[in-house]
Amino acid sequence: QYGTVFGRISKTFRYPNVDERIGAHGFSAPHDFKMNSQISNDFEIGHKVKFKNFSMSNNFYYMRIRGEIYFDAVDFLNKNLPATKRYGYESLIAYKPLKKITISNSFDVTKAKLREGPTYNGKEIPGIPSMTNTFNIDLNLLDGMTLFTNVYYRGSSRLINDTKNFQIKNPEFVLTNIGIKGNFKGFDYSLIGYNVTNKKYYRYGVGSASTYNSASVYPMPEFTLFGKISKSF
């Protein structure tokens, strides 16, 4: 009745795939193919519980990685980073106050840092937000039709080439999405309005190596309507 406590200790590895091995420097200089496998020693511990219409899970993880495969946005190549570490906390809460309504919230805190070298030891790995959160409400209107809305928060992150942590960060942002999803005669369908508040935002940028607060960024779409119909055979 107190739920489940779980733990995991592991050693994992993965080879660079073909896409990661093939690339080119500027001026069409080919990749030298000298990439190593990514190796991780990690552990995870957590707890999950369910009581009537309420469920919750929480877990903490820690990873020590060697040879982490990383895309270098300056040389346009995948490379092995110096030794890194990643640790964080993940939480998921779901509650059904009424039969047709489900409220859920997913919360993640992530820290990803380099752990070797006089220049990079302790620096944050670029492109990884320190915090994300998704709050979601599902309303079951009819059998096979659900109206949902969610609010997504993404925290700030380092510009994709800023391994020295010299530049400004990609700013945090909040997006609101609304849609309908369901199943009709074996067909799954959805109609979703992304970023309904027409927020201007970005999450990818490349900064200058010498001039502070100088960066080129890739803007994300503003309001977007997306429809989908699919069937599994």
Side-chain angles (χ1 to χ4, degrees), residues 36-55:
N36 297 319
S37 299
Q38 177 176 302
I39 300 172
S40 172
N41 294 281
D42 50 86
F43 76 88
E44 180 180 14
I45 187 169
H47 174 259
K48 53 186 177 182
V49 63
K50 184 174 183 180
F51 179 74
K52 294 184 178 179
N53 296 329
F54 174 82
S55 62

Side-chain angles (χ1 to χ4, degrees), residues 17-183:
N17 60 36
V18 173
D19 288 334
E20 289 164 336
R21 287 186 181 276
I22 296 175
H25 286 284
F27 309 107
S28 300
H31 200 296
D32 58 12
F33 290 93
K34 293 180 180 179
M35 290 186 68
N36 297 319
S37 299
Q38 177 176 302
I39 300 172
S40 172
N41 294 281
D42 50 86
F43 76 88
E44 180 180 14
I45 187 169
H47 174 259
K48 53 186 177 182
V49 63
K50 184 174 183 180
F51 179 74
K52 294 184 178 179
N53 296 329
F54 174 82
S55 62
M56 177 177 64
S57 66
N58 300 280
N59 65 292
F60 171 82
Y61 63 89
Y62 181 85
M63 308 169 67
R64 292 177 68 86
I65 307 170
R66 286 199 172 274
E68 180 171 342
I69 298 170
Y70 173 80
F71 179 72
D72 188 325
V74 176
D75 292 334
F76 301 102
L77 292 176
N78 289 285
K79 298 179 178 180
N80 294 113
L81 287 176
T84 58
K85 61 182 178 182
R86 292 175 181 246
Y87 56 94
Y89 167 75
E90 300 173 333
S91 174
L92 176 62
I93 299 173
Y95 177 59
K96 289 180 68 70
L98 298 171
K99 184 178 180 180
K100 293 182 177 293
I101 298 176
T102 302
I103 301 172
S104 62
N105 192 84
S106 175
F107 174 71
D108 299 311
V109 175
T110 304
K111 294 296 181 182
K113 297 184 177 182
L114 295 153
R115 56 183 178 90
E116 271 188 0
T119 304
Y120 298 106
N121 187 20
K123 302 295 187 183
E124 296 178 331
I125 298 174
I128 301 172
S130 57
M131 186 183 301
T132 60
N133 192 88
T134 303
F135 177 76
N136 190 84
I137 300 177
D138 286 350
L139 173 60
N140 187 9
L141 297 174
L142 302 167
D143 289 339
M145 178 181 290
T146 300
L147 173 67
F148 67 92
T149 181
N150 59 62
V151 178
Y152 172 72
Y153 167 81
R154 188 182 194 269
S156 60
S157 62
R158 294 285 174 184
L159 297 173
I160 200 66
N161 65 326
D162 189 22
T163 50
K164 294 182 179 180
N165 293 182
F166 160 73
Q167 274 291 355
I168 58 170
K169 290 186 173 183
N170 294 319
E172 62 185 5
F173 59 83
V174 177
L175 301 179
T176 303
N177 311 305
I178 299 174
I180 293 177
K181 60 184 178 180
N183 183 278

